[in-house]
Structure formats: C-alpha cells, structure tokens
Amino acid sequence: MSSAPLGNGSRSSTSPPAAKARPEPRTLAERLFQWEVEGEWDTFSGAVERYADVLGDSGVACYRELAEAACAGEPELAAGSSRAWGSRRFRLAQIMECLARADGDVDALVAVLGRDLSSPYRYLLIAEELLAAGRADEATEWAERGLAAFDERADPRLVDFVCERYAHSGRHDQATQLAWETLEQSRRVDAYQRLAKVTSHAGTWESWREPARDAAGTRGRRGPRRARRERRRL
C-alpha cells in the first residue's frame, strides 16, 4: 500500500480563513471534522490530509480521536447485513482510510475496511490491499473467506481473484475446481470463459472443453448444491 505522510501533498488553493489565521490546532480540527462529516457538499472531503500542515501533529491527532469516536458509534456490518448507507458513514470510513494510508498501516486499513463486510466486493477490497502490500497469503485467505460467506452469490471479481491467486501459486487443481463449480452454479458465459482460461493455463482445457460446453448450455438442469455434491463424488 502506497502512503505518504500527512501534509507532504499539495493542499487545495482554497483554504478556510481559519487555516490562514493559524488557529489553535484542536479548534481547527473540530471545525474541519464537522464540516467534512456533516457538510452538505464534499467541499472538505480529505480535509485531514489537505490541511495537515496547518493542523500540525496535535491537530491531526485530535482529528483521529474525533473520527475514531464517531466510527465507534457506527455498527459493524457482517456478511449478509443490510447496508443502511448514509453520507455520514461513508465519510467517516473515508477519513479512517485516509489516516491509515497516511500512516502506511495496512493492518489499520484492513480493520477499517473490515467494519463493512456486507457484500462480496468488500472482501475483495481487503484482499487487493493485502496483495498490494506483499501479503499474498493473507490476501488469498480474505478472498476465500468472502467466497465462503457468500457461497450462493459470489462476486465474479472475487472468484477471478481467487482463481488467479491459486494459479499463481501453482494450485491449478483448486483453481480449476473453483472455476468449474462456479460455472455449474451460474451457467454464465463469463464463468465458462474463466474455466477456459484457468484450464488453458494449466494445460488441461481439452479435457474440460466438452463438460464446460455442456454446463454452459444446460442452465437449470441441476441446482447448485446438488451440482457441487456430484462434483465431489467424481
């Protein structure tokens, strides 16, 4: 995960009057935080980074305290939770992500992203951050957790990620099995193409070509759970 210390980036050319007057850091932090979280528009989005030089270490620390306290009041969303999204929750998450990235703290970023696991894509976001940080095994584990949590409605992007990680680590049989089971479950063209890609990379496409065509052309013949049970007996 790339990061840069707060305050090293270029600030917006439009600074609030308070910033030019160099007010007391805590007072400025409280004002900026309120404007960013409760403002009608996104004028102060990313304020803690844009005005870090004015806030100073104590102001940034205060901003962090305010954000952490506010986030603690927002419920964590587990897999399958309904997402009651509002601008406040979204903005608080953005602030916490910004602070974690500025610190170069991958674990903190994962913790922030992990407060909302209501969709398969949220697991993918975490996996991508871990992979970018060179933590490939953890990335794969998070992606696998996402597939397990949303067994009946996996996000194709998450399936692609896991298949690619399996193939990259030489686990071609597992990549093939996942691609095949996904095709049997969905009967979608993209799932057929995924299986073709995975097995071609493994050098086994010829033996999978006909089963793949049959699966892609027989939507509804077998339910997903039965299909998986039959596959395991082969």
Side-chain angles (χ1 to χ4, degrees), residues 148-169:
F150 294 91
D151 182 50
E152 297 298 322
R153 56 184 185 96
D155 189 314
R157 295 166 294 185
L158 191 59
V159 178
D160 285 339
F161 184 93
V162 175
C163 283
E164 289 171 6
R165 296 315 309 159
Y166 284 165
H168 187 269
S169 59

Side-chain angles (χ1 to χ4, degrees), residues 1 106 123-124 126-145 161-162 164-169 171:
M1 177 182 63
V106 179
Y123 288 85
L124 179 60
I126 294 173
E128 289 176 336
E129 292 291 348
L130 287 167
L131 183 61
R135 295 161 61 171
D137 289 344
E138 292 175 75
T140 303
E141 290 171 4
W142 266 99
E144 289 172 332
R145 286 173 57 183
F161 184 93
V162 175
E164 289 171 6
R165 296 315 309 159
Y166 284 165
H168 187 269
S169 59
R171 298 156 66 181

Side-chain angles (χ1 to χ4, degrees), residues 180 184 222-234:
W180 168 251
E184 282 202 310
R222 292 174 297 176
R225 293 186 181 278
R226 181 182 174 190
R228 285 196 292 276
R229 288 198 299 269
E230 292 180 3
R231 172 61 183 158
R232 293 191 184 101
R233 288 199 294 267
L234 294 180

Side-chain angles (χ1 to χ4, degrees), residues 70-117:
C71 283
E74 296 289 338
E76 294 189 20
L77 301 179
S81 299
S82 58
R83 302 181 71 190
W85 265 103
S87 61
R88 177 182 173 81
R89 183 184 182 96
F90 178 75
R91 290 174 178 177
L92 287 172
Q94 279 192 320
I95 293 171
M96 294 303 296
E97 286 181 37
C98 176
L99 290 167
R101 292 183 191 282
D103 291 341
D105 191 337
V106 179
D107 291 325
L109 180 58
V110 169
V112 172
L113 295 173
R115 289 183 61 82
D116 177 7
L117 298 176

Side-chain angles (χ1 to χ4, degrees), residues 30-43:
E30 291 171 347
R31 290 176 182 173
L32 287 174
F33 181 78
Q34 181 179 8
W35 292 336
E36 180 170 5
V37 175
E38 301 178 7
E40 184 176 355
W41 307 105
D42 292 330
T43 305

